[in-house]
Amino acid sequence: MFIRIVKLSFHEHNIPAFLENFEIIKDQIRSSAGNRLLELYQDKDNKNIFFTYSYWETEQDLENYRTSAFFNEVWSFTKKLFNDKPQAWSVDKLASLA
């Protein structure tokens, strides 16, 4: 399993549209093959910055999602709202304490 972290920065006036759309699509993302967890975070100091954390069984599962028609539709909508280029990292979890 690995984790995909995406940093998204929006124009302030576009945040409501992003959040509304995320509410609509989050269950579809979560039910994508190989997805084990989806979380959305908002920066405490800069309210324009959000992070998504998604856990995937395999890199191929993420790649299948990223090349899907559904992702294309979601990304086409979301990228119009940005005020900065998004950043993404794929990381392996080394430790987890609960």
Side-chain angles (χ1 to χ4, degrees):
M1 181 181 321
F2 77 101
I3 301 165
R4 181 73 165 185
I5 303 167
V6 181
K7 178 183 177 186
L8 310 165
S9 185
F10 297 99
H11 293 285
E12 187 173 343
H13 64 274
N14 289 335
I15 292 172
F18 167 71
L19 291 174
E20 283 177 30
N21 192 57
F22 188 83
E23 189 64 29
I24 293 167
I25 63 170
K26 66 184 181 183
D27 290 328
Q28 284 181 268
I29 297 170
R30 178 57 187 89
S31 65
S32 295
N35 183 271
R36 297 294 168 249
L37 178 79
L38 175 64
E39 297 178 320
L40 176 65
Y41 300 96
Q42 185 175 29
D43 189 275
K44 300 269 309 159
D45 297 320
N46 184 341
K47 298 299 184 182
N48 295 355
I49 297 176
F50 292 79
F51 297 88
T52 59
Y53 277 55
S54 54
Y55 288 34
W56 298 88
E57 285 294 323
T58 68
E59 290 185 43
Q60 189 59 54
D61 289 328
L62 173 60
E63 203 51 39
N64 291 342
Y65 166 70
R66 292 182 70 232
T67 58
S68 70
F70 172 66
F71 176 82
N72 189 16
E73 184 180 315
V74 168
W75 198 245
S76 292
F77 173 82
T78 305
K79 69 182 180 182
K80 296 178 206 171
L81 309 176
F82 293 147
N83 69 1
D84 199 1
K85 182 179 177 184
Q87 296 177 294
W89 300 268
S90 292
V91 300
D92 293 318
K93 182 187 290 192
L94 300 181
S96 180
L97 305 173

